[in-house]
């Protein structure tokens, strides 16, 4: 080996060794930009609220399981005019599977598993909080609708479902 080759090989080996260190304070760390970047842990909120800030929109009601969810009560008051919004929301997010009258005959039902009729006595007896839980978290094969709907919209949808059950 020529001295030049030895120098080249040892400098390559040295840079590998230096680059492999996990310690950012390592004196021989060649590049630390990827290590010291302001990254966040897996599933961490990428933008945590600044310290001392107060949330203005209110906390989302924690809905951990269907049993504790059953006790949830609607925190909103709805005017008569909101019935139209409620119908629109139901017809946007629930109709495709559940159908206009919530009988389980939406256009998607034919290609998916037929959803249950939501106007039966079993569903009438189901507490509002349970239905809130189902909309937010999904149930068995029903996909959650939490990303599509806000808290207020979920309670509006429940109010529309209740009016369908009275027909
Ligand atoms: C992609 C289709 C789909 C959409 C969209 C959908 N559902 Fe469902 N839903 C289902 C299916 C399927 C079931 C039956 C789930 C099972 O038993 O596996 C179901 C079940 C239910 C139940 C009965 C739960 C129980 O335990 O008895 C309720 C209440 C309900 N859905 C409400 C809603 C509401 C309200 C919306 C709109 C916000 C909605 N669903 C949107 C498919 C859907």
């Amino acid at each position: 080996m020529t001295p030049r080759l030895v120098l080249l090989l040892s400098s390559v080996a040295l840079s590998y060794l230096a680059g492999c260190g996990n310690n950012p304070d390592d004196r021989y760390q060649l590049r630390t930009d990827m290590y010291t970047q302001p990254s966040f842990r897996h599933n961490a909120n990428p933008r945590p609220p600044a310290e001392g800030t107060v949330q203005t929109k209110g906390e989302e009601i924690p809905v951990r399981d269907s049993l504790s969810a059953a006790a949830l009560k609607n925190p909103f008051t709805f005017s008569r005019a909101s019935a139209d919004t409620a119908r629109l929301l139901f017809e946007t997010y629930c109709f495709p599977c559940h159908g206009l009258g919530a009988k389980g005959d939406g256009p998607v039902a034919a290609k998916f598993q037929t959803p249950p009729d939501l106007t039966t006595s079993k569903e009438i007896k189901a507490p509002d909080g349970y239905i809130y839980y189902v909309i937010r978290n999904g149930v068995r094969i029903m996909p959650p609708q939490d990303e599509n709907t806000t808290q207020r919209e979920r309670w509006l949808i429940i109010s529309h479902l209740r009016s369908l059950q009275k027909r």
Side-chain angles (χ1 to χ4, degrees), residues 141-156:
I141 68 154
M142 175 181 146
Q145 305 297 309
D146 58 334
E147 285 186 1
N148 306 338
T149 52
T150 62
Q151 285 182 68
R152 186 171 186 277
E153 287 171 342
R154 285 174 216 141
W155 287 106
L156 277 168

Side-chain angles (χ1 to χ4, degrees), residues 90 93-94 97-98 112-113 115-116 118 122-123 130-131 134-135 139-143 145 157:
F90 184 90
Y93 299 114
C94 318
C97 297
H98 289 280
F112 190 52
Q113 181 175 307
L118 299 182
K122 174 181 173 263
E123 302 297 340
Y130 175 70
I131 297 176
V134 169
I135 300 173
V139 65
R140 296 176 296 273
I141 68 154
M142 175 181 146
Q145 305 297 309
I157 289 171

Side-chain angles (χ1 to χ4, degrees), residues 1-34:
M1 263 197 246
T2 64
R4 257 183 156 193
L5 190 61
V6 169
L7 190 67
L8 182 74
L9 286 178
S10 53
S11 68
V12 167
L14 189 69
S15 55
Y16 265 106
L17 287 176
C20 285
N22 273 339
N23 184 357
D25 301 327
D26 188 342
R27 284 187 62 189
Y28 299 106
Q29 186 88 10
L30 289 184
R31 299 196 57 157
T32 56
D33 51 343
M34 293 296 280

Side-chain angles (χ1 to χ4, degrees), residues 81-95 100 156-157 159-161 163-164 167:
S82 54
D84 280 341
T85 315
R87 182 181 50 77
L88 206 70
L89 287 165
F90 184 90
E91 291 176 5
T92 305
Y93 299 114
C94 318
F95 153 76
L100 280 184
L156 277 168
I157 289 171
S159 74
H160 183 69
L161 178 60
S163 74
L164 290 177
R167 281 182 196 169

